[in-house]
Amino acid sequence: MIYGITLIILGLLAAPSLLLSKKPNAQELLDKIAPYQGWIGLLFCFWGIWGVIQAVLNISILGSWPIWWITWIASAAIQAVLGFILGYGMINKLLLSKNEEAKEKGANLLRKLAPIQGKLGLIGVCIGVWVILASILFYK
């Protein structure tokens, strides 16, 4: 369920127009969070990568709980991607700055993902809601 909650938060950070259309004074909150966006993105990027690794290591669940496993891998993957987009500045500064080739590959990936950031944020919110619902339905 924690993946669902964090995905909703991450999706709203990635697509602030969703939040601003519902709550006009949310810009103040977004401005307060902005200085920490890089660290938040970095944390969620690694957490998403760890989730993908865990899902792959537990692929045996696919045979008995296919919907749950697909939910798990989808939520972890979108979390890693949104985390990368939001935390790219920090990732570049801490990890990629020492290697020019890695820095260029990271910049290319960001250029490809940036135009669809809003859509990915919306997908993140939707998957987050599904993760919460699936957690309630499957873990009674």
Side-chain angles (χ1 to χ4, degrees):
M1 187 177 309
I2 193 78
Y3 263 116
I5 294 167
T6 57
L7 264 176
I8 291 170
I9 293 168
L10 203 56
L12 291 174
L13 285 174
S17 59
L18 291 174
L19 186 60
L20 292 175
S21 67
K22 301 292 182 195
K23 194 170 182 180
N25 61 347
Q27 185 62 44
E28 295 171 20
L29 177 64
L30 291 173
D31 290 340
K32 290 178 184 176
I33 295 173
Y36 308 105
Q37 179 176 320
W39 286 106
I40 292 169
L42 179 68
L43 174 73
F44 284 122
C45 181
F46 283 118
W47 195 7
I49 291 169
W50 179 249
V52 169
I53 291 168
Q54 288 295 309
V56 170
L57 290 175
N58 291 292
I59 198 163
S60 61
I61 296 172
L62 186 59
S64 56
W65 293 89
I67 293 173
W68 183 246
W69 189 85
I70 292 168
T71 300
W72 186 6
I73 194 92
S75 65
I78 197 74
Q79 192 169 47
V81 170
L82 288 174
F84 176 79
I85 292 170
L86 293 176
Y88 178 74
M90 196 60 62
I91 292 168
N92 187 30
K93 179 181 174 185
L94 296 175
L95 302 174
L96 303 178
S97 62
K98 294 174 179 69
N99 185 339
E100 285 301 319
E101 185 179 336
K103 193 175 186 178
E104 189 170 321
K105 285 182 181 181
N108 286 338
L109 181 59
L110 183 65
R111 270 193 295 273
K112 290 177 184 175
L113 293 174
I116 57 172
Q117 179 177 341
K119 292 177 186 174
L120 290 171
L122 182 60
I123 291 169
V125 170
C126 293
I127 292 175
V129 169
W130 168 246
V131 167
I132 292 171
L133 290 174
S135 295
I136 293 169
L137 293 174
F138 294 134
Y139 288 118
K140 286 187 176 184

